[in-house]
């Protein structure tokens, strides 16, 4: 069974969201809930650290894209760091790597 650990570190109105495990159809809701909670709390500067991701499918990518849009609508930023493997390849192939600073 897929598992995703999401750790959030807040500082000065910003947050770093560290992911470890698989971001897929079974776990995307976990990340969605955490990012939605941050936005509800008024956090509009978010860095998603994907260095611990073993896998990411289209469901996980969709959560990242949706929250990128939500953050930008509020004048904030959502950045990705530690992108590698499948996520890097999907972002490159789709051209979405240009959407994420």
């Amino acid at each position: 069974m897929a598992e995703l650990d999401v750790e959030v570190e807040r500082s000065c109105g910003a947050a770093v969201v560290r992911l470890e495990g698989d971001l897929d159809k079974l776990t995307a809701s976990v990340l969605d809930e955490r990012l939605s909670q941050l936005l509800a709390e008024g956090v509009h500067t978010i860095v998603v650290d994907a260095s611990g991701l073993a896998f990411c499918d289209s469901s996980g990518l969709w959560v990242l894209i949706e929250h990128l849009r939500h953050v930008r609508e509020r004048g904030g930023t959502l950045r990705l760091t530690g992108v590698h493997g499948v996520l890097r390849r999907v972002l490159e192939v789709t051209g979405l790597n240009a959407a994420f600073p």
Side-chain angles (χ1 to χ4, degrees), residues 9-51:
E9 181 181 324
R10 294 173 179 86
S11 177
C12 301
V16 175
V17 179
R18 289 185 179 84
L19 308 178
E20 188 168 328
D22 295 336
L23 179 56
D24 58 19
K25 183 178 181 177
L26 298 175
T27 62
S29 63
V30 174
L31 179 58
D32 185 43
E33 289 172 15
R34 292 287 173 86
L35 293 175
S36 293
Q37 180 182 14
L38 289 171
L39 287 174
E41 294 171 1
V43 176
H44 299 128
T45 302
I46 301 172
V47 176
V48 176
D49 181 354
S51 60

Side-chain angles (χ1 to χ4, degrees), residues 35-80:
L35 293 175
S36 293
Q37 180 182 14
L38 289 171
L39 287 174
E41 294 171 1
V43 176
H44 299 128
T45 302
I46 301 172
V47 176
V48 176
D49 181 354
S51 60
L53 276 184
F55 178 76
C56 180
D57 72 4
S58 61
S59 300
L61 184 59
W62 182 250
V63 169
L64 292 170
I65 293 166
E66 279 295 298
H67 284 283
L68 174 65
R69 185 177 60 84
H70 294 311
V71 168
R72 285 184 175 169
E73 287 172 354
R74 291 164 175 82
T77 59
L78 189 149
R79 298 177 186 271
L80 298 178

